[in-house]
Amino acid sequence: MRPAVILPVLLLLSASSARAQAPLDVRIGSASPLSGTGAHQGKDIENGARMAIDDLNAKAPVIGGRKVRFVLQAEDDGADPKMGTAAAQKLVDNGVVAVVGHLNSGTTVPASKIYNSAGIPQISPAATTPLYTRQGYKTAFRVVASDSLVGHTLAAYSIKTLKAKKIAVIDDRTAFGQGLADEFTKGVKAVGGAQLVSRQFTNDKATDFNAILTQIRAHKPDVIFYGGMDAVAGPMLKQMKALGIGATLVSGDGVCSEKLPQLAGDALGNGKVICVVAGGVGSAEEEQAAAAFAERYRQRYKIPLQTYAPYAYDATMVFAQAMQQAGSTDPAKFLPALAKIRYHGVTGDIAFDPNGDLHNAALTLYTYRDGKQVKLQVVR
């Protein structure tokens, strides 16, 4: 009788040991437009987060003495506020402990309310509206500069470097586009020395800009500022060329993508577009790290990274480090560590101010020459 008793006990102990060694799944959410005109930018965010997840899991992570396995759940927000809140609620309901997203300011702000109510920290790798971090949410962070810094920097560059005397402004009426255009306008007035000759509006799905560009052409601007994304800026550049408008197009990181040359064709010109990415690295070592990441991304996905993959990668890594420091995957326990984080990533040094904004944020100015994106300078 004795062996018959021992065998089930041994099997039970073996099964119990196996369960104890099984990694705990830690679910991190990614939310961005995976459909529509901004899908290439949204997929860039998902791809960057997925690279980080795989790199973390390759090291067999242990948090609080327990083996863990990070799992990415990517949701499509369609760059639409309603879809964005639905995606946010789905991530919350499925038990994510952190969220990398969203891309657009118009989806980030309403989604942030849902994450905050659930106590789930969110790091946006792209949203720049000042409103996002001015809501008083302790769960809201970002790893890019806000529109207030972007707008003023572009205004100063337009006036002081491009020597613009007449400036026209167009925005796409989204939270991102209008907000950035408003901040740029404030910057122009603050810097002084240039006249705002026209303020025009379009939308983020428009393809015909002849009416507003014809109106702008009559003012003979030196610079046209556009608040919006590359999917609209490309066709706009083509119509600017067709109408004989020689102004430089100045814009934010929504336009500053690897896809813009394809979208604009020969209307891109050389040095005719100035754009800024709300982040950046300066040292030679950081440049090498950024280039190595871009090459690894290209090899993995067989496409060049657009803009936001490095920021999504770093956001994911920051979450993991906060969990390690807190010794817990419970958002309530690692959120305080996240607020005090110090992390050196692909995009540079990451630390947050009391609002959740990036401390000492960097901006990188770019132009395009011969169909290639060319770095001009890093500004802090």
Side-chain angles (χ1 to χ4, degrees):
M1 293 295 293
R2 189 174 180 182
V5 173
I6 292 175
L7 183 58
V9 172
L10 291 174
L11 289 173
L12 181 61
L13 289 172
S14 177
S16 176
S17 177
R19 285 195 296 272
Q21 294 301 315
L24 171 69
D25 281 352
V26 178
R27 191 173 298 274
I28 293 180
S30 168
S32 57
L34 304 178
S35 60
T37 56
H40 60 294
Q41 298 278 28
K43 190 66 176 178
D44 202 47
I45 287 176
E46 180 191 337
N47 288 346
R50 197 171 297 283
M51 283 179 67
I53 292 289
D54 290 348
D55 286 351
L56 288 167
N57 287 336
K59 296 180 180 179
V62 175
I63 296 176
R66 176 71 188 273
K67 292 181 180 179
V68 301
R69 181 174 73 97
F70 290 101
V71 178
L72 185 71
Q73 179 175 336
E75 295 295 333
D76 180 12
D77 68 19
D80 175 80
K82 290 183 179 179
M83 283 184 66
T85 53
Q89 191 61 58
K90 184 176 180 180
L91 290 172
V92 170
D93 293 344
N94 286 353
V96 301
V97 299
V99 175
V100 178
H102 297 226
L103 166 68
N104 307 88
S105 294
T107 53
T108 301
V109 172
S112 68
K113 299 176 183 178
I114 294 173
Y115 302 133
N116 183 66
S117 295
I120 295 173
Q122 167 193 11
I123 299 178
S124 174
T128 54
T129 178
L131 176 60
Y132 170 52
T133 52
R134 292 179 183 174
Q135 301 174 99
Y137 297 157
K138 297 301 182 183
T139 53
F141 303 86
R142 63 173 141 222
V143 288
V144 291
S146 72
D147 283 342
S148 55
L149 180 58
V150 174
H152 188 276
T153 298
L154 287 172
Y157 190 87
S158 296
I159 296 170
K160 295 181 178 180
T161 302
L162 299 181
K163 308 299 181 184
K165 296 299 182 183
K166 295 182 179 180
I167 298 174
V169 178
I170 307 171
D171 75 68
D172 66 0
R173 296 283 88 180
T174 64
F176 164 66
Q178 182 177 351
L180 182 56
D182 288 345
E183 293 297 333
F184 175 81
T185 299
K186 292 177 186 177
V188 170
K189 293 176 181 178
V191 174
Q195 180 184 3
L196 291 163
V197 295
S198 182
R199 179 72 185 260
Q200 300 293 324
F201 314 104
T202 183
N203 65 72
D204 60 346
K205 297 176 179 60
T207 57
D208 185 357
F209 316 101
N210 278 289
I212 60 174
L213 289 176
T214 298
Q215 195 278 342
I216 286 173
R217 183 177 62 178
H219 295 282
K220 299 180 179 179
D222 305 300
V223 161
I224 296 177
F225 177 86
Y226 172 60
M229 304 297 286
D230 58 0
V232 171
M236 185 180 293
L237 282 162
K238 289 181 178 180
Q239 290 172 38
M240 284 172 59
K241 181 180 180 181
L243 289 170
I245 298 174
T248 301
L249 185 76
V250 173
S251 192
D253 55 7
V255 165
C256 222
S257 72
E258 291 289 341
K259 194 174 182 180
L260 184 64
Q262 176 186 338
L263 294 165
D266 62 4
L268 187 64
N270 287 326
K272 298 301 293 182
V273 174
I274 302 293
C275 58
V276 66
V277 172
V281 296
S283 71
E285 181 182 352
E286 289 174 333
E287 289 277 11
Q288 291 174 0
F293 178 86
E295 178 58 22
R296 193 156 66 94
Y297 182 101
R298 187 192 65 78
Q299 290 183 2
R300 172 166 179 170
Y301 296 112
K302 310 305 178 187
I303 54 174
L305 68 82
Q306 293 300 315
T307 306
Y308 303 110
Y311 301 95
Y313 181 92
D314 277 355
T316 308
M317 288 297 191
V318 164
F319 279 135
Q321 179 165 303
M323 294 177 204
Q324 288 279 5
Q325 291 179 357
S328 175
T329 59
D330 180 350
K333 293 181 179 178
F334 73 78
L335 185 55
L338 179 63
K340 298 177 182 178
I341 205 79
R342 295 292 184 274
Y343 179 79
H344 184 73
V346 176
T347 61
D349 291 324
I350 295 174
F352 302 112
D353 71 13
N355 293 324
D357 281 317
L358 191 63
H359 177 69
N360 194 29
L363 299 172
T364 306
L365 286 155
Y366 291 93
T367 190
Y368 292 84
R369 299 190 186 111
D370 300 322
K372 301 292 184 181
Q373 192 180 64
V374 179
K375 180 178 175 179
L376 294 174
Q377 66 183 91
V378 175
V379 179
R380 290 189 182 275

